[in-house]
């Protein structure tokens, strides 16, 4: 197992390029492990970053990033740099920034719906263009959707700052509202946890990447509502 320093934690999410050394190179499975990385590994409903690695006269495309067997593997499309090589990494910023905006929007919507309808977030998946959240128990009508949209856009217009920091697990568990997130899904040995705070209106543990202020979301629109079985409602949304 080769450990990597995660460069975007706890709140360095706007850096787009970095230098690192290859500490493991696997040519059969086309991946490298780096001593440090800015690439987000798929997890928590947020897709992996994509981008490029450059070294000497070479360049290769990072197509996927996964945490497997305790190490962060960068799967590449092209040639695989050798162990010991120093690489320059560049993440696809347009894709990452869309995920950051969408992930922060997901937190705002989850918080708003818990407050207004006492419905918990049962699942979520962020994409670049449209994202989804499943709520339970929930049964929204048109008026509810309008009310959710209005409240989320009010929070966006207030341009509230986010704060991301490490926090002792028991302190963060205490601060996280009942039903806001499923703390049991986070392995119990992880302590401290990273806390994502939106002003003083929301706090929860999260390993994803986020914007610095709700104003960056610009405008929130609910695109679709779907019933996903008894008591579960899916909201599909986009950002302007
Ligand atoms: Zn999150």
């Amino acid at each position: 197992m080769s450990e990597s320093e995660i460069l975007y934690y706890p709140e360095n999410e706007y850096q787009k390029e970095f230098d690192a050394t290859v500490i493991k190179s696997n040519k059969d499975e086309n991946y490298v492990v780096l001593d440090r990385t800015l690439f987000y590994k798929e997890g928590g409903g947020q897709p992996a970053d994509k981008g490029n690695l450059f070294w000497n006269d070479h360049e290769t495309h990072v197509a996927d990033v996964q945490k497997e067997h305790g190490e962060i593997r960068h799967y590449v499309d092209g040639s695989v740099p050798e162990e010991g090589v120093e690489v320059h990494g560049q993440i696809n910023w347009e894709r990452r920034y869309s995920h950051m905006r969408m992930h922060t929007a997901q937190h705002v919507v989850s918080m708003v719906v818990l407050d207004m309808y006492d419905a918990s977030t049962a699942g979520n998946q962020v994409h670049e263009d449209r994202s989804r959240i499943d709520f339970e128990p929930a049964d929204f009508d048109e008026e509810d959707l309008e009310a959710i949209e209005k409240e989320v856009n009010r929070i966006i217009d207030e341009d509230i700052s986010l704060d991301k920091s490490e926090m002792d697990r028991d302190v963060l568990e205490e601060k996280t509202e009942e039903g806001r997130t499923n703390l049991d899904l986070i392995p119990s040995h992880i302590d401290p946890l990273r806390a994502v705070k939106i002003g003083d209106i929301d706090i929860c543990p999260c390993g994803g990447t986020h914007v610095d202020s709700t104003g960056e979301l610009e405008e929130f629109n609910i695109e679709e509502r779907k019933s996903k079985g008894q008591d579960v409602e899916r909201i599909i949304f986009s950002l302007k």
Side-chain angles (χ1 to χ4, degrees), residues 131-151:
S131 301
R132 63 169 163 80
I133 312 176
D134 292 339
F135 292 101
E136 188 180 17
D139 181 19
F140 304 127
D141 60 23
E142 269 311 307
E143 241 172 75
D144 298 332
L145 298 179
E146 272 171 41
I148 293 165
E149 216 172 60
K150 198 172 160 198
E151 178 60 6

Side-chain angles (χ1 to χ4, degrees), residues 66-161:
Q66 296 289 329
K67 187 163 189 176
E68 293 163 338
H69 304 283
E71 55 191 23
I72 298 169
R73 297 178 174 175
H74 303 70
Y75 286 92
V76 299
D77 275 344
S79 53
V80 186
E82 303 280 348
E83 194 177 314
V85 164
E86 285 180 26
V87 295
H88 182 73
Q90 205 171 52
I91 58 169
N92 177 335
W93 178 249
E94 209 180 312
R95 172 181 166 90
R96 154 70 88 76
Y97 189 58
S98 299
H99 293 159
M100 284 163 62
R101 295 175 74 229
M102 283 292 198
H103 200 141
T104 300
Q106 181 260 305
H107 280 218
V108 174
V109 181
S110 288
M111 180 271 291
V112 163
V113 171
L114 180 64
D115 270 8
M116 290 172 72
Y117 302 97
D118 216 19
S120 294
T121 295
N124 64 276
Q125 180 64 51
V126 158
H127 294 288
E128 276 184 274
D129 50 352
R130 280 153 66 109
S131 301
R132 63 169 163 80
I133 312 176
D134 292 339
F135 292 101
E136 188 180 17
D139 181 19
F140 304 127
D141 60 23
E142 269 311 307
E143 241 172 75
D144 298 332
L145 298 179
E146 272 171 41
I148 293 165
E149 216 172 60
K150 198 172 160 198
E151 178 60 6
V152 171
N153 280 312
R154 189 189 65 76
I155 291 167
I156 291 172
D157 290 345
E158 273 193 34
D159 200 15
I160 301 168
S161 292

Side-chain angles (χ1 to χ4, degrees), residues 19-41:
D19 294 303
T21 304
V22 176
I23 53 173
K24 184 177 174 182
S25 171
N26 185 322
K27 293 191 175 175
D28 295 330
E29 292 175 57
N30 289 309
Y31 71 81
V32 290
V33 180
L34 307 173
D35 64 338
R36 54 215 294 270
T37 188
L38 266 189
F39 281 89
Y40 182 75
K41 61 188 185 316

